[in-house]
Structure formats: C-alpha cells, structure tokens
Amino acid sequence: MSLKKCLLSVVFLVAGGLAQAHSYEAGAIHIDHPWSRAMPPTAPAAAAYFVLQNTGAEADRLLGASTPVAGKAELHEHAHVDGLMKMHHVPVVDIGPGEQVDFVPGGYHVMLFELSRQMQAGERFPLTLRFEKAGEVTVEVAVQADAPQSAPAQHGMMHHAH
Ligand SMILES: [Cu+2]
C-alpha cells in the first residue's frame, strides 16, 4: 500500500470513530463517549463504560452514579483472582491530576442492577456521575451492540492497577 493510501485509510478510521463519539465536561473532568453494550432482555444487569480525564491540577474522585433506568448503580472493577476474572464493588475511583481512567470491559465499569428493562442498541439513557470536586454531571449513555472502535479496551485490561 502506498503511503498516501495508508494515510487516507487512517483518516477514514479516525473520522468513523469520531462520528459516534460524544463527550461531556464537569469542572476539570472530561468524560468521553459513555456507552453500554446491548444485553439480552433476560440479562439481570448491564454495565456502562466511558473514559475520564482530569484536566485540572487537583486530584478528584468518582464517588458514585445513578440512573432512572436502574434501581441500583455501583462502581465495579474487574480483577484477576486465582486466575479468574472477577468483579467487585469499589467505593470510589481516584483520578489524579492529568490522569486518564478508562472504564472498559474487563476493567472499571458502572454496574446497573434492577433494570426496568434492558436497553436496545441505538437507544440512549441518562447516567448521573457524582465527583467529589467536579460535582454531578448527567451524561447520555449510548447503547451499542459492540464496543466502540476507539475504546482503549486492551489498554484498560492491561493497566488497571492505578
Ligand atoms: Cu460489574
């Protein structure tokens, strides 16, 4: 492939990713592309994902989340325990100054329980995130059949110790 063709295909990939993207600001916190994977109607729970960036000089932390579509929303983290991937509830998620924290399949996520119903691909639902310093912000979660191409899934799975 010629260099020019190669560059062109990169541009198209980036443009394709941006077309679906939506993002929000809460104080110094930037929230990129909140999304949720469409689940079968009988699934007992769902999960929401996004990327948090702290553009400020002070540390902040995500304290919790809530949504009208679920009776309960918890911050969860996946971790390897005895060779198995297990998820557990975490009370807060720290975001240091200048840091990025990825909420991705296999890493941090907002777990939604007691759903009124499972959302379908193409739908959106509101999710309110509560930060210690940035306060509350309500974002729209895009329900998708598949993970967004731009999702840093591998990165999130490999480096979630921070
Ligand atoms: Cu979970």
Side-chain angles (χ1 to χ4, degrees), residues 10-20:
V10 168
V11 168
F12 279 120
L13 274 178
V14 170
L18 288 179
Q20 302 182 329

Side-chain angles (χ1 to χ4, degrees), residues 76 87 109 111:
H76 275 200
M87 64 182 185
H109 53 280
M111 200 84 201

